[in-house]
Amino acid sequence: MTMKNENEEIYERTVEPILDVHEKPKASEWLLLSSQHLFAMFGATVLVPFLTKLPVSAALIASGLGTLLYILITKGKIPAYLGSSFAFITPIIVGLKSHSLGEMLMALFMSGLMYVIIGLIIKIVGTNWLLKLLPPVVVGPVIMVIGLGLAPVAVNMAMYTNSAKMTGYNGKYIIVASITLLTVIIFSVIAKGFLSIIPVLMGIIVGYISAVIAGIVDFSGIQKAKWLQLPDVHVPFVSYTPSFDWMLIMIMVPIVFVTVSEHIGHQVVINKIVGRNFFKDPGLHRSLIGDGVSTMLASIIGGPPSTTYGENIGVLAITRIYSVWVIGGAAVLALILGFVGKFTALVSSIPTPVMGGVSILLFGIIASSGLRMLVESKVDFGDKRNLVIASVILVLGIGKAHLDFTVGQINLNIEGMALAALSGILLNAFLPASKTHEDY
């Protein structure tokens, strides 16, 4: 990712908007316009709690409330929607196997706090320090690790009745997963206009129908659920006891730097689409703080961390409707869905091969976006320094390396993605610049 100093970049509009940032839509159109953003974020947002076993309703409420908080903190000047972050899927899955829910949620809370701290530092000293700490040669491979590290999860869901233990090889699962994957591919590549923005949602719908035909959908939960009911959220000191575990916190911190870099990349794109310099007004620091506060809120109620969504940025580009009122409307719709028991039960009834088929492409796209960053940033792999940094990150991350050590009374275990990200940051900081670009 490359970005000029926030005070140097001048953004000019290439097309006139249908609705500008502060313009309200007509009452007759508002619901439809907001629904487009709801559909765009829906597939990915519910996939995260599905994989991590966190409540779907908590993810929807966290997404809605988090987006509204973000709009408030950014003074209603940035049309960005916040949904569940994929970067934290693996740490959450691994962490919950050996730690309590309270420890995991507090570790996620601290990751949100780290966002706020970084935002405050940027407010004081600018962004140059962050760009030096996280150049594309570090961020690109780490993003690739995020996607490739999740690859076994997607494949196992698509093939096995018990995906966790890779047992129960199931032909029906493979067929349903293949139909789902093919649908997502078709809508991603062939569809035009708004349909090209919701391939995940269309894949889930077609995949679910094929799963019903295959007889692998359990409708009992939907039948028992009420139409309106209190959402399944975790309440501190009621459903869990907040507890800080420094090992989990150490796993989350390096990931935060990567997601912050992703956040900046999204802001660059929004700036260009809308034709405004949001780094200057309301300021990148406000955007990061808004994202951090959203993540902190999500962790308190048991939802996954949040991030700005590229899918919704795509909706902005296609529709030329930049109104934060439309974004806020989508957030309210997500909040309402969190209270619809039949809806959350329907989402919970989606069979694993459907989500597996969707995930095969989604996780691959995450990995490919890391590669794309390297290409677009013109990272020179003839430079041995760049080659070493990227190589170490990829092998440590995909190989799920881990480091155990004790500091005083605290036992720390840094593993996988976190260790890869931390190693990349340290190598970039301390390896001297190469004088020659000889190939091996």
Side-chain angles (χ1 to χ4, degrees):
M1 177 193 66
T2 57
M3 186 184 75
K4 295 181 180 180
N5 184 285
E6 62 212 66
N7 295 320
E8 296 176 356
E9 188 73 74
I10 299 175
Y11 297 93
E12 295 181 357
R13 227 174 238 162
T14 56
V15 294
E16 284 301 311
I18 295 174
L19 282 178
D20 210 345
V21 176
H22 292 105
E23 293 179 337
K24 287 185 181 180
K26 296 178 181 178
S28 59
E29 299 175 349
W30 199 339
L31 179 61
L32 179 61
L33 294 177
S34 293
S35 295
Q36 291 184 115
H37 282 279
L38 181 74
F39 292 149
M41 71 84 183
F42 177 81
T45 291
V46 301
L47 179 59
V48 177
F50 187 93
L51 294 174
T52 57
K53 308 304 181 186
L54 294 175
V56 172
S57 54
L60 287 170
I61 289 174
S63 173
L65 282 178
T67 299
L68 293 175
L69 276 173
Y70 177 86
I71 292 173
L72 178 66
I73 292 171
T74 57
K75 301 180 179 180
K77 294 184 176 182
I78 305 178
Y81 192 93
L82 275 61
S84 304
S85 173
F86 278 72
F88 292 88
I89 291 176
T90 299
I92 294 174
I93 292 174
V94 173
L96 286 177
K97 290 180 180 178
S98 55
H99 294 81
S100 69
L101 178 64
E103 290 171 334
M104 173 55 66
L105 294 181
M106 287 303 97
L108 296 176
F109 180 90
M110 293 301 290
S111 72
L113 181 60
M114 181 59 67
Y115 260 91
V116 175
I117 293 172
I118 293 173
L120 292 174
I121 295 175
I122 286 176
K123 167 67 174 175
I124 297 170
V125 301
T127 60
N128 288 340
W129 68 276
L130 185 62
L131 300 178
K132 290 179 180 178
L133 186 70
L134 296 168
V137 72
V138 173
V139 178
V142 172
I143 293 175
M144 293 173 70
V145 165
I146 292 172
L148 295 176
L150 289 167
V153 175
V155 173
N156 293 344
M157 287 197 305
M159 295 180 62
Y160 299 105
T161 304
N162 188 335
S163 58
K165 297 182 179 179
M166 291 185 290
T167 58
Y169 182 87
N170 194 310
K172 287 184 178 180
Y173 273 38
I174 295 174
I175 293 173
V176 170
S178 299
I179 292 172
T180 304
L181 175 59
L182 184 60
T183 302
V184 178
I185 292 173
I186 290 173
F187 276 89
S188 297
V189 177
I190 300 176
K192 303 296 181 181
F194 178 65
L195 286 178
S196 67
I197 297 297
I198 57 169
V200 173
L201 179 63
M202 297 308 299
I204 291 175
I205 292 173
V206 175
Y208 191 88
I209 294 172
S210 67
V212 171
I213 295 172
I216 57 174
V217 178
D218 182 5
F219 294 102
S220 60
I222 302 174
Q223 294 170 350
K224 295 176 183 177
K226 298 177 181 178
W227 278 105
L228 293 177
Q229 64 184 37
L230 290 175
D232 181 15
V233 297
H234 293 296
V235 181
F237 302 106
V238 176
S239 54
Y240 73 92
T241 302
S243 179
F244 291 94
D245 184 287
W246 288 106
M247 182 190 79
L248 280 176
I249 294 172
M250 287 294 292
I251 290 174
M252 299 300 172
V253 169
I255 301 170
V256 169
F257 283 101
V258 176
T259 54
V260 164
S261 179
E262 180 186 41
H263 180 106
I264 295 173
H266 282 169
Q267 288 303 310
V268 170
V269 177
I270 294 176
N271 285 355
K272 291 179 179 178
I273 291 173
V274 179
R276 284 193 173 92
N277 188 347
F278 294 128
F279 291 127
K280 187 175 181 179
D281 182 24
L284 177 61
H285 65 286
R286 282 187 173 273
S287 184
L288 285 170
I289 291 171
D291 203 337
V293 172
S294 175
T295 292
M296 293 164 72
L297 170 69
S299 68
I300 291 174
I301 65 174
S306 62
T307 186
T308 49
Y309 258 30
E311 293 91 335
N312 295 86
I313 295 174
V315 174
L316 294 178
I318 286 179
T319 63
R320 290 188 290 137
I321 294 172
Y322 310 146
S323 171
V324 292
W325 296 94
V326 171
I327 299 289
V332 172
L333 290 176
L335 269 172
I336 293 172
L337 285 179
F339 287 84
V340 180
K342 291 285 186 183
F343 177 79
T344 53
L346 176 66
V347 173
S348 299
S349 73
I350 299 174
T352 54
V354 173
M355 288 304 195
V358 168
S359 300
I360 288 173
L361 184 60
L362 272 182
F363 297 160
I365 288 175
I366 293 172
S368 298
S369 66
L371 181 61
R372 177 181 176 182
M373 176 180 287
L374 294 173
V375 173
E376 291 183 346
S377 302
K378 298 180 181 179
V379 175
D380 182 9
F381 282 105
D383 185 336
K384 293 181 180 180
R385 180 180 185 276
N386 292 338
L387 191 62
V388 166
I389 293 172
S391 300
V392 170
I393 292 173
L394 288 171
V395 172
L396 290 181
I398 297 173
K400 301 188 184 301
H402 61 92
L403 184 64
D404 292 295
F405 59 95
T406 302
V407 178
Q409 301 296 318
I410 302 174
N411 181 271
L412 298 176
N413 179 11
I414 305 175
E415 56 183 89
M417 188 196 316
L419 181 58
L422 185 60
S423 299
I425 291 171
L426 293 175
L427 285 173
N428 176 68
F430 294 108
L431 281 181
S434 299
K435 295 181 179 180
T436 61
H437 290 184
E438 297 175 359
D439 292 332
Y440 280 113

